[in-house]
Each structure stands twice: as structure tokens, then as C-alpha cells.
């Protein structure tokens, strides 16, 4: 995927553990781990907002676009607009 999550770098910079961040944000460690390892296919804006609030950063500090071959876009009937 062309979008990379840099949560691990932010945690190191903030000297914070994944467990501490999970407690502050109200998300399970397992879900943050999925996000951190790049296995997540989506992230809620409310979660992104909470991460930015607790890490004192901007969304662009957490998410970066890495150019590469285009992937086909799949329509998700359950996706929120």
C-alpha cells in the first residue's frame, strides 16, 4: 500500500509505549499494533484525532505517501463517506 503509518517513529520520539498510548486514546493495544505494523486497511478520523491529540502531532506526521505502482480501488459499501 502506498500509505505508510509512522506510529513507531512517533512513539520513539515521544518516549511512549504502545500500551501507554492505547490507554490514553482508548483503543486496544492489538488495534494499535495492527495500525503500527501497516496491516490496517482503514483508520477512523476519531482515532486519528485522538492519536494526534495524545502524540501532539499532525496527521501528516503519522501518515506518509510512498509512491509506487497504483493499486485498484475497491468499492466498500460499508464505508463511511
Amino acid at each position: 500500500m502506498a500509505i505508510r503509518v509512522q506510529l513507531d517513529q512517533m512513539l520513539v520520539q515521544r518516549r511512549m509505549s504502545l500500551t501507554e498510548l492505547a490507554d490514553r486514546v482508548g483503543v486496544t493495544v492489538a488495534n494499535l499494533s495492527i495500525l503500527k505494523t501497516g496491516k490496517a486497511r482503514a483508520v477512523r478520523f476519531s482515532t486519528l484525532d485522538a492519536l494526534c491529540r495524545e502524540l501532539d502531532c499532525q496527521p501528516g506526521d503519522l501518515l506518509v505517501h510512498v509512491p509506487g505502482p497504483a493499486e485498484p480501488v475497491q468499492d466498500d459499501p460499508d464505508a463511511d463517506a
Side-chain angles (χ1 to χ4, degrees):
M1 177 172 288
I3 302 296
R4 305 271 187 225
V5 179
Q6 300 192 120
L7 185 56
D8 50 350
Q9 292 94 329
M10 292 302 297
L11 289 170
V12 169
Q13 290 175 6
R14 302 300 191 260
R15 294 185 173 101
M16 187 182 299
S17 71
L18 195 64
T19 303
E20 181 181 352
L21 181 61
D23 288 342
R24 289 182 177 197
V25 173
V27 176
T28 66
V29 173
N31 283 339
L32 280 185
S33 181
I34 289 168
L35 185 62
K36 183 180 136 190
T37 58
K39 295 179 182 174
R41 301 298 294 168
V43 61
R44 293 175 189 251
F45 281 155
S46 59
T47 302
L48 187 57
D49 176 57
L51 289 170
C52 289
R53 181 186 66 241
E54 294 303 326
L55 293 170
D56 190 28
C57 67
Q58 295 294 314
D61 297 329
L62 292 172
L63 304 173
V64 295
H65 180 260
V66 179
E71 293 183 20
V73 176
Q74 297 177 356
D75 289 334
D76 184 354
D78 296 328
D80 295 334

